[in-house]
Amino acid sequence: MSAFVEGVRDMLPVEVAERKWLYQRFREVFGQSGYREIVTPTLESLELYAGTETFFLKERMFKVVDETGQILVLKPDVTMPIARLAATQYVEIPKPWKLSYISTAYLANGGKSGQMKEKTQAGVEMMGLGGYLADVEVIGLLIKILQKVGITNPLIDIGWANLVEEIFTNLKLEAEAKRELRYLIEEKNIQQIQAQMVNWDLLSSEREIITRLPELFGDPEEVLKGLKELNLGCRARAVVREMEEIYQCLQQMGLDQYIVFDPVMVTNLGYYTGIIFKAYVPGYAEVIASGGRYDGLTQRFGHAEPAVGFAIEVERLLGCLCQFKIGHVKKADGILCVISEQNEFVSGYRLSQILDSRGVQVELYTGAEWEEYAKFHQVNYIVHWSETGLQVRDMKLRKRVDFLGDLAELAQKVIDYMGRAER
Amino acid sequence: MKRMRIALAKGRLAEKSVNLFIEAGYQLPDDIFTSRKLIFQAVDDELELILVKAADVPCYVEYGAADMGIVGKDTLLEAGRSLYEVLDLNFGRCKFALAGPPGREESPGYQRIATKYPNFAREYFNEKGQPIEIIQLTGSIELAPLTGLAELILDIVESGRTLRENGLVIYQEICSLSARLVVNRVSMKTRRREINEVIGRLRDRVERGGFLC
């Protein structure tokens, strides 16, 4: 038996501090925009995910059996439980329902080492509102939060769930050939498409569509222009019009510099029904957030509402911030109050109460190796009782100062000294 | 922005890949085949080549440690990574084939198959609905049927000479293979201009033909 589990890990104080800073920014930005934070249980019924085998592989979910024999899962995603919560508990509440979350999701990694089984997602869901303005609002919020945590130049790649399938509907191809074509387009494997096309009975306009699709991505204006040149069916044309409206709106909001289009993008989450998007950071090779519209999902719980949302992959965002050396947490100036005799403890405790009420952090230290301790934790000021009063050791300026007086006077003198030293 | 990094599969493919870059007009350092270094920078272009084991190329590219890579289709099929496959480079041509001793092709029932490509083999036989036992080896696959380790082999076949000299015959050709240019999914979006330039220059050279194969 090994005491270590592959795919999960401990978080040490430095990382936890950075996470705390991030979580505060998420809560601020989501809260300011009216997204109220909710928490759903870690355990959900396996039934919740019934019928979703196409996008949540059952064998990758962690299952537990409760005392009644019911099979439960550790939630593999956050959106599904929120859809359940909204459809059952929000029905009477005025729409839209704007919810946010910071949560852990659990998924076995299918034996691929390096992939974590436990990951943190932070995101929002806006339910009860269709239309492209809701999509735009959510994308705007994603850009805002990424910039707020130090990603100055995020790139939001926008596509459309099932647009390719829509374009394919009229092609006279076997289902198998369509599946292969879908795969090749997704892989942007133009040569293989051309090689295969010889075997397929297609009109020249259809050939043009399927050879051009893989290259139609990137600059939104070029993509829209290219899509309009193709001989698409009327439903696909309606999607193109909506993508154009979204782009124009983002342009007027001054966000177009962060937007690229990829109409053939696929997502492994099968519940999306409209816009889908992924967030990248130039120079960082992983997707740090993704989202989209999922109008059919709450229907599963008896109450149909349109919905759109996104999830930030917190571990990837942390990796990205680390790669670009964007650190947020600075060491606050605190004091270590060293207690070397038992009778000093109460005075130390009282002094710390006074300093604490004045906004200065004090940590009492009753161990024997205060020098190593202070050095490791990078404490700048150490105070301890001396024969005549209180001695302050300034670790930065490497000097010692002695103060006399009662506790209130000593506290004031320490604060005054720190104020001078900082200048 | 840091240099574009391209992972090349060490060995025969690397030599051809490097020649392709040179013929496509990239200035590469002279010591690329004599040095033991693993990272080489192009002289005029913001480009960096790294030499890795063939089976590791898809991994480097999927995780974005390299923006692009050149690797055999056999390795791609086996690795099953999520990448863009943008160009068939037309060299390193060979085939996936099933082979074994002559006259035993029709032997029915359960069989053991030796291969360097267990994932691909499993998928191939699953699709055919044929129960098999896969024996994963790392080299000299032809020995397996000769020593009784397996009844047949699934391997890449170039000229077929190794098979012939070991008294084996091809039962079935599965698919053609060659070297491919692959691109990381995020780099494709965030470094489109630079990546398109590399694809364009390599494609032009490949399409002119001549030096390859």
Side-chain angles (χ1 to χ4, degrees), chain A residues 347-361:
Chain A
S347 315
Y349 176 76
R350 292 227 169 95
L351 180 71
S352 76
Q353 295 289 84
I354 300 170
L355 286 167
D356 195 49
S357 70
R358 306 276 307 268
V360 178
Q361 294 174 31

Side-chain angles (χ1 to χ4, degrees), chain A residues 18 21-22 25 143-154 281 317 320-321 324-328:
Chain A
E18 187 70 17
W21 186 91
L22 270 185
R25 299 293 89 67
I143 295 172
K144 184 176 173 187
I145 181 63
L146 292 177
Q147 290 186 324
K148 191 82 176 189
V149 302
I151 309 286
T152 51
N153 52 345
V281 181
L317 177 59
C320 175
L321 294 174
F324 294 116
K325 299 193 171 60
I326 304 171
H328 300 102

Side-chain angles (χ1 to χ4, degrees), chain A residues 10 52 93 100 187 230 252 254 270 287 289 313 316 334 337 339 345 354:
Chain A
D10 301 316
T52 61
I93 293 173
S100 67
E187 221 183 24
L230 299 176
Q252 285 155 11
V287 176
E313 302 287 345
R316 291 186 186 167
C337 180
I339 312 290
F345 184 80
I354 300 170

Side-chain angles (χ1 to χ4, degrees), chain A residues 131-352:
Chain A
Y132 74 88
L133 287 181
D135 300 349
V136 170
E137 187 193 320
V138 164
I139 290 172
L141 185 64
L142 177 56
I143 295 172
K144 184 176 173 187
I145 181 63
L146 292 177
Q147 290 186 324
K148 191 82 176 189
V149 302
I151 309 286
T152 51
N153 52 345
L155 202 63
I156 312 293
D157 196 10
I158 298 178
W160 210 271
N162 306 321
L163 176 61
V164 174
E165 285 71 13
E166 198 58 63
I167 292 171
F168 282 2
T169 39
N170 295 328
L171 296 186
K172 285 182 205 58
L173 287 179
E174 302 283 323
E176 180 57 35
K178 276 189 188 174
R179 214 171 13 251
E180 188 183 354
L181 182 57
R182 181 73 191 87
Y183 179 75
L184 291 173
I185 286 179
E186 213 282 310
E187 221 183 24
K188 303 202 183 298
N189 194 336
I190 298 171
Q191 282 177 321
Q192 190 63 30
I193 293 171
Q194 283 167 338
Q196 287 287 1
M197 227 163 32
V198 192
N199 308 321
W200 295 331
D201 178 27
L202 296 171
L203 301 173
S204 66
S205 64
E206 293 170 338
R207 285 173 197 276
E208 192 197 343
I209 290 173
I210 60 179
T211 43
R212 287 204 56 196
L213 272 182
E215 281 188 321
L216 275 180
F217 68 99
D219 180 61
E221 286 177 24
E222 281 172 30
V223 172
L224 288 166
K225 187 166 163 281
L227 284 171
K228 284 189 209 163
E229 284 166 6
L230 299 176
N231 182 20
L232 300 178
C234 78
R235 278 168 65 183
R237 281 208 306 276
V239 169
V240 175
R241 268 197 303 280
E242 193 164 349
M243 290 182 83
E244 188 167 29
E245 281 174 329
I246 287 168
Y247 180 65
Q248 282 167 352
C249 192
L250 288 164
Q251 209 171 19
Q252 285 155 11
M253 292 158 76
L255 298 177
D256 50 321
Q257 55 181 308
Y258 307 117
I259 305 296
V260 289
F261 274 6
D262 185 0
V264 303
M265 175 201 302
V266 293
T267 147
N268 44 15
L269 284 178
Y271 51 61
Y272 289 120
T273 55
I275 192 169
I276 48 178
F277 50 88
K278 292 178 182 172
Y280 314 126
V281 181
Y284 186 71
E286 288 189 272
V287 176
I288 57 168
S290 58
R293 176 163 286 287
Y294 51 99
D295 288 348
L297 202 59
T298 62
Q299 172 82 64
R300 302 167 53 86
F301 309 104
H303 187 89
E305 291 291 348
V308 60
F310 66 73
I312 295 169
E313 302 287 345
V314 174
E315 283 75 22
R316 291 186 186 167
L317 177 59
L318 282 164
C320 175
L321 294 174
C322 175
Q323 180 179 318
F324 294 116
K325 299 193 171 60
I326 304 171
H328 300 102
V329 180
K330 281 199 209 93
K331 188 88 186 69
D333 267 337
I335 295 176
L336 191 70
C337 180
V338 176
I339 312 290
S340 32
E341 307 282 341
Q342 280 186 9
N343 59 14
E344 292 170 5
F345 184 80
V346 174
S347 315
Y349 176 76
R350 292 227 169 95
L351 180 71
S352 76

